Amino acid sequence: MGNVVLTGFMGTGKTTVGRLLAAALGYEFVDTDDVIEQRHGPIPEIFLTDGEAAFRRYEREVATELGTADGLVIATGGRMMLDAAAAAALGATGRVFCLTAELDTVLARVTADGVDNRPMLAGPDVEDRIAELFAARAAAYAAFEQVPTDRRTPAAVAADLETRLRR
């Protein structure tokens, strides 16, 4: 059966699309950020008290654990699959798709959702920080099968993924 792993930049719809896809496939849905929060507390507090390095270690631990499971749709944190160990663990038992969106779409979605729970966006100019991270991660995301989400409903993206999975 295998897993389906959704990666991509923040605001591309990994969680929303992942829930729809899991329901359509009859798989269990897992959001890696939710697992980390259940075990270690809110992500902003982890960054504040333990630091980003600890958070990235928690991501690798969760990836290693989920990589041994089967029948999951896994929505990863935006940077998780850019870590070689996490990508190897999840990629070994799952098909990985990278949800994409244009920078303007990401900016609109992320700012509409609010940035308080996104420690990577801490600082005076959220839009500049998003653009900086977006550019820095683009080449790494390109290693995965790309699934555009611009001007598409989450249901349309989930249906696209179902079609791709049948190939």
Side-chain angles (χ1 to χ4, degrees):
M1 192 152 80
N3 296 320
V4 179
V5 181
L6 302 180
T7 190
F9 198 74
M10 63 183 85
T12 56
K14 298 177 299 287
T15 298
T16 303
V17 170
R19 288 183 195 285
L20 293 170
L21 182 61
L25 297 175
Y27 283 22
E28 181 182 346
F29 174 75
V30 178
D31 184 305
T32 61
D33 284 347
D34 288 348
V35 173
I36 291 168
E37 286 195 329
Q38 290 167 6
R39 294 178 183 174
H40 302 283
I43 291 171
E45 287 183 26
I46 295 170
F47 270 73
L48 186 63
T49 59
D50 302 331
E52 183 179 353
F55 177 75
R56 300 302 174 200
R57 186 176 67 250
Y58 301 152
E59 282 187 319
R60 282 188 293 281
E61 290 168 1
V62 169
T64 299
E65 178 184 325
L66 294 176
T68 65
D70 194 39
L72 303 176
V73 172
I74 303 166
T76 67
R79 190 184 168 282
M80 181 183 246
M81 292 298 285
L82 305 186
D83 176 273
L90 291 175
T93 59
R95 184 151 170 206
V96 181
F97 297 97
C98 180
L99 302 189
T100 66
E102 296 167 7
L103 179 57
D104 289 345
T105 302
V106 168
L107 287 168
R109 290 175 181 172
V110 171
T111 55
D113 287 346
V115 297
D116 292 341
N117 64 338
R118 297 182 184 270
M120 293 301 295
L121 300 183
D125 193 332
V126 171
E127 290 188 5
D128 280 350
R129 181 66 177 145
I130 291 171
E132 175 187 321
L133 290 170
F134 188 87
R137 295 178 181 177
Y141 287 138
F144 304 106
E145 185 175 344
Q146 306 285 292
V147 181
T149 65
D150 290 291
R151 295 170 293 285
R152 297 171 76 194
T153 65
V157 175
D160 181 4
L161 288 165
E162 282 185 84
T163 299
R164 292 171 186 237
L165 287 166
R166 284 190 228 113
R167 292 185 202 152

